[in-house]
Amino acid sequence: MGKITIGCFSSLVGSMSLDFAIKFSDAAVKKGHEVDLWLSGNGTMLGKKGQGKFRDYSYLMDTVMELINSGKFKITNCEACAKARGITREDTVEGFGVASMDWYLASAFSTDRILHIGGE
Amino acid sequence: MAIKKIAFIVEKLPYKSETSRLALTHAIASQTVEIHLEDGDNVEPVLAFVGDGVLNCLKNQKALEVYGVSSLEAHVKNALLLDLRVLVCKEDLEGFGLTEDSIVMDAEEIGGEVTTQVVPYEEIQQDLESADHLMFF
Amino acid sequence: MRLAVFVSEYREPEMLERLKAEKLGIVLVQNGVYHAALKKDGNVSPVLSKDVEYYALSEDLQSRGFSDSDVVDSKVKVINYDGLVDLIFNDYEKTIWL
């Protein structure tokens, strides 16, 4: 079994890349792999508490929570990107990490694969 | 003891989105990644500007005055100050009618010692081959 | 190197022409699947003109109104997320998302 580090820099609303990143993570974890997911730029929206579930917008939190509970999935928000959007640690869903950018590079150091999905 | 090489490749234009700036800030974060790693382990970044991305390196950007945000020019200078390897694609620069005079080639005024390298795409391709991981911004 | 290039948009990415690899795979995802499912003015997308491995993500074809059998070129292999995970871990070592 391996480890993959995914960086997703795209927003929850306005892009389907986070949807891709979560579905890919889910498939990888179910196959026994480990996944580190780094959220940067507009990707940090995924960690905001209190997201509404509407049929016209992508809602990923149920799968994210299942992934966190699997123990094989780490998800971390870029602290500066989140703060710039008014998302503090208190506003961040439990189970999400908050870290500076070197977290992503440290994960990249020890991983087998990187899938870096850039911003819009 | 291991060094992992990560290539940060920048193809996007500055300012419409924050993507190219995040490429620079992530590459620069390699300077503090050691605190998360075992002794002797480290990340070696190489920063390459290709396609429209070469325009991030233009001189005389006034983003701080106009938008109140650090310019990409300032970020490139920081990268040079921290001894990062900065590559700019020669063919793409020439495609825009630009020369080394038009772009940030050094960070001497803030004490930087390394300079930007304008190289043929083929050389950047070699860096993609030798890198352990790629991050394409 | 063994490089998987993700194409996520229905335009021809400039970088695609430049990237070289011993083993190159192009993975069509999101709006990139239109390259696999449509001909424009009767022509297959230029993205499919390389002599490399091609894959298209089944879920993204289906969400856009295509079935796996709508894929216009037989060299495109339709895979799902499970297949994609295996592909990335077993067949390729580096990825680029365009």
Side-chain angles (χ1 to χ4, degrees):
Chain A
M1 290 300 112
K3 175 177 164 185
I4 184 162
T5 299
I6 305 173
C8 190
F9 288 54
S10 288
S11 56
L12 182 62
V13 174
S15 159
M16 295 314 283
S17 292
L18 267 170
D19 181 271
F20 175 92
I22 297 302
K23 289 194 174 114
F24 185 91
S25 299
D26 193 39
V29 164
K30 284 189 173 131
K31 280 179 172 283
H33 300 296
E34 268 180 69
V35 178
D36 278 2
L37 177 58
W38 169 247
L39 301 165
S40 179
N42 288 337
T44 54
M45 244 190 240
L46 185 63
K48 175 80 176 68
K49 273 184 191 164
Q51 290 170 37
K53 193 173 184 176
F54 296 95
R55 284 205 174 177
D56 287 340
Y57 297 97
S58 186
Y59 179 82
L60 303 168
M61 201 49 75
D62 295 343
T63 316
V64 169
M65 293 321 290
E66 277 174 31
L67 280 166
I68 290 171
N69 292 331
S70 75
K72 287 187 163 293
F73 176 76
K74 288 196 201 97
I75 186 164
T76 301
N77 255 2
C78 168
E79 185 170 20
C81 303
K83 265 195 180 165
R85 288 159 177 80
I87 307 171
T88 63
R89 276 173 198 263
E90 293 70 44
D91 298 316
T92 306
V93 172
E94 208 172 309
F96 277 64
V98 178
S100 57
M101 293 168 191
D102 47 19
W103 183 90
Y104 185 36
L105 300 191
S107 173
F109 180 88
S110 62
T111 202
D112 299 306
R113 297 285 181 274
I114 287 271
L115 176 55
H116 176 93
I117 306 173
E120 295 81 15
Chain B
M1 291 247 308
I3 303 290
K4 292 285 173 74
K5 178 173 166 179
I6 302 181
F8 297 80
I9 310 113
V10 187
E11 196 200 21
K12 295 256 187 350
L13 293 169
Y15 306 120
K16 178 173 187 278
S17 86
E18 60 189 327
T19 304
S20 62
R21 184 172 52 75
L22 287 170
L24 272 290
T25 50
H26 279 76
I28 289 168
S30 61
Q31 298 299 306
T32 53
V33 70
E34 270 177 288
I35 55 166
H36 300 282
L37 306 175
E38 306 275 326
D39 278 354
D41 289 347
N42 214 342
V43 169
E44 178 198 329
V46 55
L47 191 54
F49 294 91
V50 297
D52 293 351
V54 302
L55 300 173
N56 287 285
C57 303
L58 282 175
K59 279 182 189 164
N60 302 320
Q61 295 177 35
K62 300 281 189 287
L64 196 57
E65 291 85 337
V66 177
Y67 301 129
V69 300
S70 314
S71 68
L72 268 297
E73 179 183 7
H75 283 294
V76 173
K77 282 184 183 167
N78 276 335
L80 290 169
L81 176 67
L82 296 167
D83 297 336
L84 265 60
R85 212 158 135 248
V86 179
L87 309 177
V88 174
C89 177
K90 186 172 186 286
E91 293 90 335
D92 294 328
L93 199 61
E94 288 174 357
F96 288 113
L98 300 169
T99 65
E100 290 188 4
D101 291 341
S102 327
I103 60 167
V104 182
M105 288 300 293
D106 63 66
E108 261 175 34
E109 80 269 28
I110 52 172
E113 289 173 2
V114 302
T115 55
T116 303
Q117 300 170 51
V118 176
V119 298
Y121 175 75
E122 192 51 42
E123 205 165 306
I124 292 172
Q125 169 73 29
Q126 283 166 20
D127 273 282
L128 304 189
E129 306 260 359
S130 62
D132 292 289
H133 297 298
L134 309 176
M135 294 188 184
F136 193 91
F137 286 80
Chain C
M1 68 176 154
R2 293 177 292 136
L3 177 67
V5 181
F6 287 76
V7 173
S8 62
E9 290 185 30
Y10 189 40
R11 58 169 172 81
E12 200 184 342
E14 279 177 34
M15 273 304 283
L16 207 52
E17 278 312 304
R18 283 181 155 182
L19 292 166
K20 282 173 277 179
E22 214 177 307
K23 178 178 166 75
L24 185 67
I26 295 180
V27 186
L28 304 167
V29 294
Q30 300 181 348
N31 286 344
V33 299
Y34 289 116
H35 292 293
L38 291 177
K39 289 183 179 175
K40 204 167 180 184
D41 302 323
N43 301 315
V44 168
S45 165
V47 163
L48 300 185
S49 64
K50 293 167 92 78
D51 185 21
V52 300
E53 304 288 324
Y54 286 96
Y55 313 89
L57 188 62
S58 176
E59 286 87 339
D60 285 340
L61 281 166
Q62 288 168 15
S63 58
R64 285 159 180 78
F66 302 105
S67 71
D68 295 358
S69 58
D70 284 327
V71 165
V72 294
D73 197 310
S74 59
K75 66 185 168 193
V76 181
K77 192 176 168 198
V78 178
I79 55 172
N80 59 15
Y81 275 99
D82 272 6
L84 185 54
V85 169
D86 289 343
L87 201 67
I88 296 308
F89 276 103
N90 304 333
D91 293 24
Y92 296 94
E93 55 197 358
K94 297 181 201 176
T95 69
I96 282 186
W97 180 285
L98 297 177

